[in-house]
Amino acid sequence: MSNSSLFSTFQLGTLELRNRTVMAPLTRSRATPDGVPTELMEIYYAQRAGAGLIISEGVVVSPQGVAYPRVPGLYNDEQIAAWRRVTGAVHGQGGKIFAQLWHVGRQSHSSVQPDGLPPFAPSPVRIEGYQYYRKPDRLPYETPRQLSREGIRKVIEQYAQAAARAVDAGFDGVEIHAANGYLIDQFLNSGSNQRWDEYGGSPANRARFLHELLDAVGTRVPPSLVGVRLSPSSTWMDAFDEDKTALHSHVVASLNRHGLAYLHLVEPEIAGSITADVAADAVPTEKLAALFHGPVIVTGEHNLASAQQRIEDGVADLVGFGRTFIANPDLPERLRTGAPLNPPEKRTFYAGGAEGYITYPSLTEGARWAELRSAIEAGTLSAEDLLAELSARNPVELARSGGLHSLHQLRELVTSQTTASRT
Ligand SMILES: Cc1cc2nc3c(=O)[nH]c(=O)nc-3n(C[C@H](O)[C@H](O)[C@H](O)COP(=O)(O)O)c2cc1C
């Protein structure tokens, strides 16, 4: 294996990463309604600790920064204590984890704002062409409240505090979510930023919020432990700019002054969380990566061959995987050995609960279930007895010992046998 393989180690500042695969940030809605990480999350992240680096799901910096239910936060002590268990579980498996710091800006809704008023954004420009989804309703987005200068200072301070709490909670660093049409991206794009003050107008002015935020975060956490995520080509959630290439060339080049841990670029094939057509004015990842002087992560629609190519071409140092990491807790091992991949199930992405979250099998769990299944088919093991035995165990403990997948499969098997015997 050459030095530049996806499976070689990588020195990210002071952190040695065990390989160059990154678990991309993935919102999974498994925290408590108050934004406190749960035991399920501890298991989920520990299962995926084979990544060189895990970037957590978006973690909101304040109650105003949230759009969806059961998203975790980093704005109070209870959340810090719970995150400590998650980061401890990842470190226990030899993994590394950054917290992705998030504020959704105008993608929020008055129904989830603490004061019941429309959310905050750079300008009072609402999102067109998309709807706010809150089960079971689809609602029009609202015209947001414009952040005052004082409001901007407050939000920046919330990011800085959240970064300090992230380190306190045991994270190895933080990623600033400046992608996908959320608050920072709303400042960057001219469509959502129509301010006349020093935060609006030229690309340099629109990037001021991001730079001031990075300066503030940098006073609490060493900049060498801070990454930035951008989605330069995405127009998802009405992220419009008349010249994305000029804007992002400026942003990326100007990020060099911070001495960041890395730049994380979403590939042009991605619109938020799905694959989409590449726009005619997409900004080539190669072009932006070349402007950045530190490590680069690229994410979007990658498989082993394309990831390896990005590294060999010198475009990226690390490659992120989103949906494939949801479905394959031991993704790096599967890629390295050429093992087949489990397909992701969209139905359970945000569904809550263990299913489709911690029930995807690792290779060893898959093999164990295959053995049990053969024994059941050979008649040497009773499916009903085994089901009764596994069902009696605590599901979280069962997940820890790697048996939850078998329980899940067993339930489906027994249900299908029962249905078959009835028909
Ligand atoms: C269920 C789901 C949740 C996501 N949540 C986030 C998030 O919290 N923060 C973020 O920056 N991107 C998020 N994304 C985007 C992914 O990080 C990634 O960019 C995208 O899935 C493309 O990578 P892939 O083709 O490897 O899946 C999410 C994607 C999915 C599928």
Side-chain angles (χ1 to χ4, degrees), residues 24-28 56-58 100 102 175 177 179-180 229 266 270 272-275 299-302 320-324 326 349-350:
L26 296 157
T27 291
R28 301 303 310 279
S56 80
E57 62 206 284
Q100 189 190 48
W102 193 24
E175 175 175 285
H177 191 348
N180 297 349
R229 184 174 220 218
V266 178
I270 300 300
S273 60
I274 58 171
T275 306
T299 296
E301 274 288 300
H302 281 296
F321 297 86
R323 288 161 289 184
T324 36
I326 288 179
F349 278 1
Y350 310 105

PDB file of all heavy atoms in Angstrom, residues 24-28 56-58 100 102 175 177 179-180 229 266 270 272-275 299-302 320-324 326 349-350, ligand 1:
ATOM      1  N   ALA A  24     -18.675  11.461   7.853  1.00  0.00           N
ATOM      2  CA  ALA A  24     -19.209  12.811   7.618  1.00  0.00           C
ATOM      3  C   ALA A  24     -20.258  13.142   8.678  1.00  0.00           C
ATOM      4  O   ALA A  24     -20.857  12.241   9.264  1.00  0.00           O
ATOM      5  CB  ALA A  24     -19.830  12.878   6.224  1.00  0.00           C
ATOM      6  N   PRO A  25     -20.487  14.432   8.908  1.00  0.00           N
ATOM      7  CA  PRO A  25     -21.511  14.814   9.900  1.00  0.00           C
ATOM      8  C   PRO A  25     -22.896  14.367   9.442  1.00  0.00           C
ATOM      9  O   PRO A  25     -23.287  14.629   8.299  1.00  0.00           O
ATOM     10  CB  PRO A  25     -21.408  16.339   9.936  1.00  0.00           C
ATOM     11  CG  PRO A  25     -20.736  16.737   8.661  1.00  0.00           C
ATOM     12  CD  PRO A  25     -19.847  15.595   8.294  1.00  0.00           C
ATOM     13  N   LEU A  26     -23.639  13.716  10.326  1.00  0.00           N
ATOM     14  CA  LEU A  26     -24.933  13.136   9.960  1.00  0.00           C
ATOM     15  C   LEU A  26     -25.949  13.342  11.077  1.00  0.00           C
ATOM     16  O   LEU A  26     -25.839  12.726  12.141  1.00  0.00           O
ATOM     17  CB  LEU A  26     -24.776  11.633   9.698  1.00  0.00           C
ATOM     18  CG  LEU A  26     -23.891  11.261   8.502  1.00  0.00           C
ATOM     19  CD1 LEU A  26     -23.335   9.855   8.639  1.00  0.00           C
ATOM     20  CD2 LEU A  26     -24.657  11.415   7.199  1.00  0.00           C
ATOM     21  N   THR A  27     -26.917  14.200  10.840  1.00  0.00           N
ATOM     22  CA  THR A  27     -28.001  14.398  11.799  1.00  0.00           C
ATOM     23  C   THR A  27     -28.839  13.131  11.855  1.00  0.00           C
ATOM     24  O   THR A  27     -29.262  12.621  10.826  1.00  0.00           O
ATOM     25  CB  THR A  27     -28.866  15.601  11.333  1.00  0.00           C
ATOM     26  OG1 THR A  27     -28.073  16.764  11.485  1.00  0.00           O
ATOM     27  CG2 THR A  27     -30.139  15.723  12.148  1.00  0.00           C
ATOM     28  N   ARG A  28     -29.090  12.598  13.054  1.00  0.00           N
ATOM     29  CA  ARG A  28     -29.825  11.339  13.157  1.00  0.00           C
ATOM     30  C   ARG A  28     -31.003  11.425  14.144  1.00  0.00           C
ATOM     31  O   ARG A  28     -31.696  10.445  14.366  1.00  0.00           O
ATOM     32  CB  ARG A  28     -28.876  10.203  13.554  1.00  0.00           C
ATOM     33  CG  ARG A  28     -27.692   9.948  12.597  1.00  0.00           C
ATOM     34  CD  ARG A  28     -28.114   9.644  11.166  1.00  0.00           C
ATOM     35  NE  ARG A  28     -29.122   8.626  11.070  1.00  0.00           N
ATOM     36  CZ  ARG A  28     -28.897   7.300  11.129  1.00  0.00           C
ATOM     37  NH1 ARG A  28     -27.657   6.866  11.239  1.00  0.00           N
ATOM     38  NH2 ARG A  28     -29.879   6.427  11.065  1.00  0.00           N
ATOM     39  N   SER A  56     -19.047  14.739  14.251  1.00  0.00           N
ATOM     40  CA  SER A  56     -20.370  14.471  14.825  1.00  0.00           C
ATOM     41  C   SER A  56     -21.456  15.056  13.938  1.00  0.00           C
ATOM     42  O   SER A  56     -21.200  15.936  13.101  1.00  0.00           O
ATOM     43  CB  SER A  56     -20.481  15.085  16.220  1.00  0.00           C
ATOM     44  OG  SER A  56     -20.760  16.474  16.115  1.00  0.00           O
ATOM     45  N   GLU A  57     -22.667  14.625  14.171  1.00  0.00           N
ATOM     46  CA  GLU A  57     -23.839  15.277  13.597  1.00  0.00           C
ATOM     47  C   GLU A  57     -23.816  16.755  13.993  1.00  0.00           C
ATOM     48  O   GLU A  57     -23.130  17.120  14.969  1.00  0.00           O
ATOM     49  CB  GLU A  57     -25.083  14.625  14.176  1.00  0.00           C
ATOM     50  CG  GLU A  57     -25.198  14.788  15.692  1.00  0.00           C
ATOM     51  CD  GLU A  57     -26.021  13.669  16.318  1.00  0.00           C
ATOM     52  OE1 GLU A  57     -27.253  13.692  16.211  1.00  0.00           O
ATOM     53  OE2 GLU A  57     -25.404  12.770  16.933  1.00  0.00           O
ATOM     54  N   GLY A  58     -24.572  17.586  13.292  1.00  0.00           N
ATOM     55  CA  GLY A  58     -24.644  18.982  13.668  1.00  0.00           C
ATOM     56  C   GLY A  58     -25.107  19.119  15.121  1.00  0.00           C
ATOM     57  O   GLY A  58     -26.084  18.490  15.525  1.00  0.00           O
ATOM     58  N   GLN A 100     -19.446  18.990  15.281  1.00  0.00           N
ATOM     59  CA  GLN A 100     -19.822  19.966  14.252  1.00  0.00           C
ATOM     60  C   GLN A 100     -20.753  21.011  14.862  1.00  0.00           C
ATOM     61  O   GLN A 100     -21.856  20.684  15.309  1.00  0.00           O
ATOM     62  CB  GLN A 100     -20.521  19.301  13.065  1.00  0.00           C
ATOM     63  CG  GLN A 100     -20.681  20.316  11.926  1.00  0.00           C
ATOM     64  CD  GLN A 100     -21.564  19.856  10.791  1.00  0.00           C
ATOM     65  OE1 GLN A 100     -22.665  19.369  11.022  1.00  0.00           O
ATOM     66  NE2 GLN A 100     -21.096  20.029   9.554  1.00  0.00           N
ATOM     67  N   TRP A 102     -23.285  24.096  14.918  1.00  0.00           N
ATOM     68  CA  TRP A 102     -24.369  24.360  13.962  1.00  0.00           C
ATOM     69  C   TRP A 102     -25.336  25.423  14.473  1.00  0.00           C
ATOM     70  O   TRP A 102     -25.702  25.438  15.659  1.00  0.00           O
ATOM     71  CB  TRP A 102     -25.111  23.021  13.786  1.00  0.00           C
ATOM     72  CG  TRP A 102     -26.070  22.887  12.673  1.00  0.00           C
ATOM     73  CD1 TRP A 102     -26.110  23.593  11.508  1.00  0.00           C
ATOM     74  CD2 TRP A 102     -27.140  21.918  12.593  1.00  0.00           C
ATOM     75  NE1 TRP A 102     -27.135  23.116  10.715  1.00  0.00           N
ATOM     76  CE2 TRP A 102     -27.777  22.101  11.345  1.00  0.00           C
ATOM     77  CE3 TRP A 102     -27.609  20.909  13.430  1.00  0.00           C
ATOM     78  CZ2 TRP A 102     -28.861  21.322  10.934  1.00  0.00           C
ATOM     79  CZ3 TRP A 102     -28.679  20.137  13.029  1.00  0.00           C
ATOM     80  CH2 TRP A 102     -29.302  20.337  11.795  1.00  0.00           C
ATOM     81  N   GLU A 175     -15.755  21.327  14.198  1.00  0.00           N
ATOM     82  CA  GLU A 175     -15.928  21.728  12.798  1.00  0.00           C
ATOM     83  C   GLU A 175     -17.000  22.802  12.760  1.00  0.00           C
ATOM     84  O   GLU A 175     -18.089  22.619  13.323  1.00  0.00           O
ATOM     85  CB  GLU A 175     -16.358  20.536  11.926  1.00  0.00           C
ATOM     86  CG  GLU A 175     -16.651  20.965  10.485  1.00  0.00           C
ATOM     87  CD  GLU A 175     -16.969  19.808   9.546  1.00  0.00           C
ATOM     88  OE1 GLU A 175     -16.041  19.078   9.146  1.00  0.00           O
ATOM     89  OE2 GLU A 175     -18.163  19.640   9.209  1.00  0.00           O
ATOM     90  N   HIS A 177     -19.805  24.513  10.893  1.00  0.00           N
ATOM     91  CA  HIS A 177     -20.691  24.163   9.780  1.00  0.00           C
ATOM     92  C   HIS A 177     -21.051  25.432   9.007  1.00  0.00           C
ATOM     93  O   HIS A 177     -21.954  26.174   9.399  1.00  0.00           O
ATOM     94  CB  HIS A 177     -21.955  23.515  10.357  1.00  0.00           C
ATOM     95  CG  HIS A 177     -22.844  22.858   9.346  1.00  0.00           C
ATOM     96  ND1 HIS A 177     -22.695  23.021   7.992  1.00  0.00           N
ATOM     97  CD2 HIS A 177     -23.904  22.016   9.505  1.00  0.00           C
ATOM     98  CE1 HIS A 177     -23.624  22.307   7.359  1.00  0.00           C
ATOM     99  NE2 HIS A 177     -24.372  21.694   8.259  1.00  0.00           N
ATOM    100  N   ALA A 179     -21.848  25.279   5.729  1.00  0.00           N
ATOM    101  CA  ALA A 179     -22.349  24.714   4.468  1.00  0.00           C
ATOM    102  C   ALA A 179     -23.876  24.662   4.464  1.00  0.00           C
ATOM    103  O   ALA A 179     -24.546  25.101   5.404  1.00  0.00           O
ATOM    104  CB  ALA A 179     -21.773  23.308   4.286  1.00  0.00           C
ATOM    105  N   ASN A 180     -24.404  24.115   3.357  1.00  0.00           N
ATOM    106  CA  ASN A 180     -25.804  23.677   3.241  1.00  0.00           C
ATOM    107  C   ASN A 180     -26.877  24.725   3.564  1.00  0.00           C
ATOM    108  O   ASN A 180     -27.952  24.386   4.051  1.00  0.00           O
ATOM    109  CB  ASN A 180     -26.026  22.413   4.106  1.00  0.00           C
ATOM    110  CG  ASN A 180     -25.180  21.249   3.614  1.00  0.00           C
ATOM    111  OD1 ASN A 180     -24.603  21.329   2.529  1.00  0.00           O
ATOM    112  ND2 ASN A 180     -25.086  20.188   4.392  1.00  0.00           N
ATOM    113  N   ARG A 229     -16.458  23.614   7.272  1.00  0.00           N
ATOM    114  CA  ARG A 229     -17.127  22.896   6.184  1.00  0.00           C
ATOM    115  C   ARG A 229     -17.878  23.871   5.272  1.00  0.00           C
ATOM    116  O   ARG A 229     -18.649  24.700   5.755  1.00  0.00           O
ATOM    117  CB  ARG A 229     -18.116  21.878   6.752  1.00  0.00           C
ATOM    118  CG  ARG A 229     -18.755  21.041   5.655  1.00  0.00           C
ATOM    119  CD  ARG A 229     -19.619  19.927   6.194  1.00  0.00           C
ATOM    120  NE  ARG A 229     -19.411  18.728   5.386  1.00  0.00           N
ATOM    121  CZ  ARG A 229     -20.373  17.866   5.058  1.00  0.00           C
ATOM    122  NH1 ARG A 229     -21.594  18.042   5.483  1.00  0.00           N
ATOM    123  NH2 ARG A 229     -20.101  16.818   4.317  1.00  0.00           N
ATOM    124  N   VAL A 266     -17.840  19.962   0.470  1.00  0.00           N
ATOM    125  CA  VAL A 266     -18.883  19.057  -0.030  1.00  0.00           C
ATOM    126  C   VAL A 266     -18.786  19.078  -1.555  1.00  0.00           C
ATOM    127  O   VAL A 266     -18.714  20.151  -2.165  1.00  0.00           O
ATOM    128  CB  VAL A 266     -20.287  19.515   0.429  1.00  0.00           C
ATOM    129  CG1 VAL A 266     -21.364  18.590  -0.133  1.00  0.00           C
ATOM    130  CG2 VAL A 266     -20.369  19.575   1.955  1.00  0.00           C
ATOM    131  N   ILE A 270     -23.735  16.925  -4.463  1.00  0.00           N
ATOM    132  CA  ILE A 270     -24.601  16.798  -3.288  1.00  0.00           C
ATOM    133  C   ILE A 270     -25.447  18.050  -3.062  1.00  0.00           C
ATOM    134  O   ILE A 270     -24.942  19.171  -3.085  1.00  0.00           O
ATOM    135  CB  ILE A 270     -23.741  16.526  -2.024  1.00  0.00           C
ATOM    136  CG1 ILE A 270     -22.933  15.229  -2.193  1.00  0.00           C
ATOM    137  CG2 ILE A 270     -24.597  16.475  -0.764  1.00  0.00           C
ATOM    138  CD1 ILE A 270     -23.758  13.971  -2.404  1.00  0.00           C
ATOM    139  N   GLY A 272     -27.503  19.134  -0.013  1.00  0.00           N
ATOM    140  CA  GLY A 272     -27.878  18.862   1.386  1.00  0.00           C
ATOM    141  C   GLY A 272     -27.520  17.447   1.776  1.00  0.00           C
ATOM    142  O   GLY A 272     -26.361  17.130   2.037  1.00  0.00           O
ATOM    143  N   SER A 273     -28.549  16.576   1.790  1.00  0.00           N
ATOM    144  CA  SER A 273     -28.285  15.189   2.199  1.00  0.00           C
ATOM    145  C   SER A 273     -28.556  14.204   1.074  1.00  0.00           C
ATOM    146  O   SER A 273     -28.560  13.003   1.287  1.00  0.00           O
ATOM    147  CB  SER A 273     -29.166  14.851   3.412  1.00  0.00           C
ATOM    148  OG  SER A 273     -30.518  14.995   3.059  1.00  0.00           O
ATOM    149  N   ILE A 274     -28.795  14.719  -0.129  1.00  0.00           N
ATOM    150  CA  ILE A 274     -29.086  13.800  -1.239  1.00  0.00           C
ATOM    151  C   ILE A 274     -28.180  14.068  -2.448  1.00  0.00           C
ATOM    152  O   ILE A 274     -27.512  15.097  -2.523  1.00  0.00           O
ATOM    153  CB  ILE A 274     -30.575  13.893  -1.687  1.00  0.00           C
ATOM    154  CG1 ILE A 274     -30.902  15.328  -2.109  1.00  0.00           C
ATOM    155  CG2 ILE A 274     -31.526  13.422  -0.594  1.00  0.00           C
ATOM    156  CD1 ILE A 274     -32.267  15.454  -2.772  1.00  0.00           C
ATOM    157  N   THR A 275     -28.206  13.117  -3.390  1.00  0.00           N
ATOM    158  CA  THR A 275     -27.420  13.274  -4.609  1.00  0.00           C
ATOM    159  C   THR A 275     -28.275  14.020  -5.632  1.00  0.00           C
ATOM    160  O   THR A 275     -29.467  13.755  -5.755  1.00  0.00           O
ATOM    161  CB  THR A 275     -27.053  11.881  -5.156  1.00  0.00           C
ATOM    162  OG1 THR A 275     -26.408  11.168  -4.099  1.00  0.00           O
ATOM    163  CG2 THR A 275     -26.126  11.977  -6.346  1.00  0.00           C
ATOM    164  N   THR A 299     -16.193  15.330   0.659  1.00  0.00           N
ATOM    165  CA  THR A 299     -17.294  14.394   0.941  1.00  0.00           C
ATOM    166  C   THR A 299     -18.360  14.509  -0.136  1.00  0.00           C
ATOM    167  O   THR A 299     -18.683  15.623  -0.558  1.00  0.00           O
ATOM    168  CB  THR A 299     -17.951  14.724   2.299  1.00  0.00           C
ATOM    169  OG1 THR A 299     -17.012  14.529   3.343  1.00  0.00           O
ATOM    170  CG2 THR A 299     -19.162  13.820   2.564  1.00  0.00           C
ATOM    171  N   GLY A 300     -18.902  13.368  -0.530  1.00  0.00           N
ATOM    172  CA  GLY A 300     -20.042  13.372  -1.439  1.00  0.00           C
ATOM    173  C   GLY A 300     -19.954  12.288  -2.474  1.00  0.00           C
ATOM    174  O   GLY A 300     -19.075  12.332  -3.344  1.00  0.00           O
ATOM    175  N   GLU A 301     -20.808  11.262  -2.351  1.00  0.00           N
ATOM    176  CA  GLU A 301     -20.918  10.225  -3.375  1.00  0.00           C
ATOM    177  C   GLU A 301     -19.628   9.445  -3.579  1.00  0.00           C
ATOM    178  O   GLU A 301     -19.352   8.985  -4.683  1.00  0.00           O
ATOM    179  CB  GLU A 301     -21.294  10.875  -4.713  1.00  0.00           C
ATOM    180  CG  GLU A 301     -22.772  11.077  -4.917  1.00  0.00           C
ATOM    181  CD  GLU A 301     -23.496   9.759  -5.163  1.00  0.00           C
ATOM    182  OE1 GLU A 301     -23.183   9.071  -6.134  1.00  0.00           O
ATOM    183  OE2 GLU A 301     -24.344   9.418  -4.330  1.00  0.00           O
ATOM    184  N   HIS A 302     -18.807   9.323  -2.548  1.00  0.00           N
ATOM    185  CA  HIS A 302     -17.545   8.611  -2.759  1.00  0.00           C
ATOM    186  C   HIS A 302     -17.669   7.118  -2.474  1.00  0.00           C
ATOM    187  O   HIS A 302     -18.439   6.678  -1.617  1.00  0.00           O
ATOM    188  CB  HIS A 302     -16.411   9.240  -1.930  1.00  0.00           C
ATOM    189  CG  HIS A 302     -15.879  10.469  -2.571  1.00  0.00           C
ATOM    190  ND1 HIS A 302     -15.239  10.443  -3.790  1.00  0.00           N
ATOM    191  CD2 HIS A 302     -15.937  11.778  -2.215  1.00  0.00           C
ATOM    192  CE1 HIS A 302     -14.914  11.671  -4.151  1.00  0.00           C
ATOM    193  NE2 HIS A 302     -15.329  12.505  -3.202  1.00  0.00           N
ATOM    194  N   GLY A 320     -14.558  11.948   3.216  1.00  0.00           N
ATOM    195  CA  GLY A 320     -15.717  11.715   4.071  1.00  0.00           C
ATOM    196  C   GLY A 320     -16.740  10.809   3.405  1.00  0.00           C
ATOM    197  O   GLY A 320     -16.916  10.849   2.183  1.00  0.00           O
ATOM    198  N   PHE A 321     -17.396  10.002   4.230  1.00  0.00           N
ATOM    199  CA  PHE A 321     -18.480   9.130   3.757  1.00  0.00           C
ATOM    200  C   PHE A 321     -19.680   9.379   4.662  1.00  0.00           C
ATOM    201  O   PHE A 321     -19.548   9.303   5.885  1.00  0.00           O
ATOM    202  CB  PHE A 321     -18.069   7.654   3.856  1.00  0.00           C
ATOM    203  CG  PHE A 321     -16.892   7.293   2.975  1.00  0.00           C
ATOM    204  CD1 PHE A 321     -15.590   7.473   3.428  1.00  0.00           C
ATOM    205  CD2 PHE A 321     -17.093   6.787   1.694  1.00  0.00           C
ATOM    206  CE1 PHE A 321     -14.499   7.156   2.621  1.00  0.00           C
ATOM    207  CE2 PHE A 321     -16.013   6.467   0.878  1.00  0.00           C
ATOM    208  CZ  PHE A 321     -14.710   6.648   1.338  1.00  0.00           C
ATOM    209  N   GLY A 322     -20.839   9.649   4.050  1.00  0.00           N
ATOM    210  CA  GLY A 322     -22.031   9.907   4.837  1.00  0.00           C
ATOM    211  C   GLY A 322     -22.927   8.690   4.897  1.00  0.00           C
ATOM    212  O   GLY A 322     -22.883   7.885   5.827  1.00  0.00           O
ATOM    213  N   ARG A 323     -23.746   8.520   3.846  1.00  0.00           N
ATOM    214  CA  ARG A 323     -24.754   7.467   3.866  1.00  0.00           C
ATOM    215  C   ARG A 323     -24.153   6.071   4.004  1.00  0.00           C
ATOM    216  O   ARG A 323     -24.734   5.201   4.655  1.00  0.00           O
ATOM    217  CB  ARG A 323     -25.628   7.587   2.606  1.00  0.00           C
ATOM    218  CG  ARG A 323     -26.547   8.811   2.683  1.00  0.00           C
ATOM    219  CD  ARG A 323     -27.073   9.217   1.339  1.00  0.00           C
ATOM    220  NE  ARG A 323     -26.031   9.806   0.498  1.00  0.00           N
ATOM    221  CZ  ARG A 323     -26.247  10.320  -0.697  1.00  0.00           C
ATOM    222  NH1 ARG A 323     -27.462  10.322  -1.202  1.00  0.00           N
ATOM    223  NH2 ARG A 323     -25.253  10.849  -1.395  1.00  0.00           N
ATOM    224  N   THR A 324     -22.975   5.862   3.409  1.00  0.00           N
ATOM    225  CA  THR A 324     -22.380   4.518   3.550  1.00  0.00           C
ATOM    226  C   THR A 324     -21.920   4.272   4.992  1.00  0.00           C
ATOM    227  O   THR A 324     -21.886   3.131   5.439  1.00  0.00           O
ATOM    228  CB  THR A 324     -21.183   4.308   2.598  1.00  0.00           C
ATOM    229  OG1 THR A 324     -20.474   5.515   2.494  1.00  0.00           O
ATOM    230  CG2 THR A 324     -21.631   3.852   1.228  1.00  0.00           C
ATOM    231  N   ILE A 326     -23.563   5.417   7.602  1.00  0.00           N
ATOM    232  CA  ILE A 326     -24.783   5.125   8.360  1.00  0.00           C
ATOM    233  C   ILE A 326     -25.007   3.613   8.356  1.00  0.00           C
ATOM    234  O   ILE A 326     -25.278   2.996   9.383  1.00  0.00           O
ATOM    235  CB  ILE A 326     -26.001   5.840   7.723  1.00  0.00           C
ATOM    236  CG1 ILE A 326     -25.912   7.341   7.976  1.00  0.00           C
ATOM    237  CG2 ILE A 326     -27.329   5.261   8.250  1.00  0.00           C
ATOM    238  CD1 ILE A 326     -27.049   8.160   7.384  1.00  0.00           C
ATOM    239  N   PHE A 349     -33.451   7.096   8.767  1.00  0.00           N
ATOM    240  CA  PHE A 349     -32.424   8.138   8.955  1.00  0.00           C
ATOM    241  C   PHE A 349     -32.727   9.030  10.174  1.00  0.00           C
ATOM    242  O   PHE A 349     -31.864   9.317  10.978  1.00  0.00           O
ATOM    243  CB  PHE A 349     -32.316   9.026   7.708  1.00  0.00           C
ATOM    244  CG  PHE A 349     -31.471   8.442   6.596  1.00  0.00           C
ATOM    245  CD1 PHE A 349     -30.881   7.197   6.707  1.00  0.00           C
ATOM    246  CD2 PHE A 349     -31.260   9.168   5.422  1.00  0.00           C
ATOM    247  CE1 PHE A 349     -30.098   6.671   5.677  1.00  0.00           C
ATOM    248  CE2 PHE A 349     -30.479   8.657   4.393  1.00  0.00           C
ATOM    249  CZ  PHE A 349     -29.910   7.409   4.519  1.00  0.00           C
ATOM    250  N   TYR A 350     -33.981   9.500  10.240  1.00  0.00           N
ATOM    251  CA  TYR A 350     -34.338  10.440  11.315  1.00  0.00           C
ATOM    252  C   TYR A 350     -35.434   9.871  12.220  1.00  0.00           C
ATOM    253  O   TYR A 350     -36.104  10.619  12.938  1.00  0.00           O
ATOM    254  CB  TYR A 350     -34.843  11.764  10.719  1.00  0.00           C
ATOM    255  CG  TYR A 350     -33.950  12.360   9.658  1.00  0.00           C
ATOM    256  CD1 TYR A 350     -34.287  12.304   8.310  1.00  0.00           C
ATOM    257  CD2 TYR A 350     -32.760  12.993  10.003  1.00  0.00           C
ATOM    258  CE1 TYR A 350     -33.466  12.857   7.330  1.00  0.00           C
ATOM    259  CE2 TYR A 350     -31.934  13.551   9.033  1.00  0.00           C
ATOM    260  CZ  TYR A 350     -32.295  13.477   7.696  1.00  0.00           C
ATOM    261  OH  TYR A 350     -31.494  14.027   6.738  1.00  0.00           O
TER     262      TYR A 350
HETATM  263  C1  LIG B   1     -29.224  11.559   7.212  1.00  0.00           C
HETATM  264  C2  LIG B   1     -28.259  12.663   6.857  1.00  0.00           C
HETATM  265  C3  LIG B   1     -27.995  13.663   7.765  1.00  0.00           C
HETATM  266  C4  LIG B   1     -27.058  14.666   7.479  1.00  0.00           C
HETATM  267  N1  LIG B   1     -26.740  15.601   8.436  1.00  0.00           N
HETATM  268  C5  LIG B   1     -25.751  16.508   8.207  1.00  0.00           C
HETATM  269  C6  LIG B   1     -25.310  17.381   9.243  1.00  0.00           C
HETATM  270  O1  LIG B   1     -25.758  17.329  10.397  1.00  0.00           O
HETATM  271  N2  LIG B   1     -24.328  18.267   8.931  1.00  0.00           N
HETATM  272  C7  LIG B   1     -23.783  18.347   7.672  1.00  0.00           C
HETATM  273  O2  LIG B   1     -22.890  19.164   7.441  1.00  0.00           O
HETATM  274  N3  LIG B   1     -24.157  17.496   6.688  1.00  0.00           N
HETATM  275  C8  LIG B   1     -25.111  16.574   6.936  1.00  0.00           C
HETATM  276  N4  LIG B   1     -25.447  15.670   5.955  1.00  0.00           N
HETATM  277  C9  LIG B   1     -24.695  15.657   4.680  1.00  0.00           C
HETATM  278  C10 LIG B   1     -23.542  14.630   4.762  1.00  0.00           C
HETATM  279  O3  LIG B   1     -22.550  15.048   5.671  1.00  0.00           O
HETATM  280  C11 LIG B   1     -22.862  14.423   3.394  1.00  0.00           C
HETATM  281  O4  LIG B   1     -22.357  15.652   2.931  1.00  0.00           O
HETATM  282  C12 LIG B   1     -23.821  13.864   2.349  1.00  0.00           C
HETATM  283  O5  LIG B   1     -24.543  12.756   2.872  1.00  0.00           O
HETATM  284  C13 LIG B   1     -23.051  13.413   1.108  1.00  0.00           C
HETATM  285  O6  LIG B   1     -22.139  12.372   1.419  1.00  0.00           O
HETATM  286  P1  LIG B   1     -22.454  10.840   0.980  1.00  0.00           P
HETATM  287  O7  LIG B   1     -22.709  10.862  -0.497  1.00  0.00           O
HETATM  288  O8  LIG B   1     -21.206  10.086   1.345  1.00  0.00           O
HETATM  289  O9  LIG B   1     -23.664  10.413   1.743  1.00  0.00           O
HETATM  290  C14 LIG B   1     -26.404  14.682   6.208  1.00  0.00           C
HETATM  291  C15 LIG B   1     -26.709  13.669   5.282  1.00  0.00           C
HETATM  292  C16 LIG B   1     -27.615  12.668   5.582  1.00  0.00           C
HETATM  293  C17 LIG B   1     -27.867  11.573   4.579  1.00  0.00           C
END
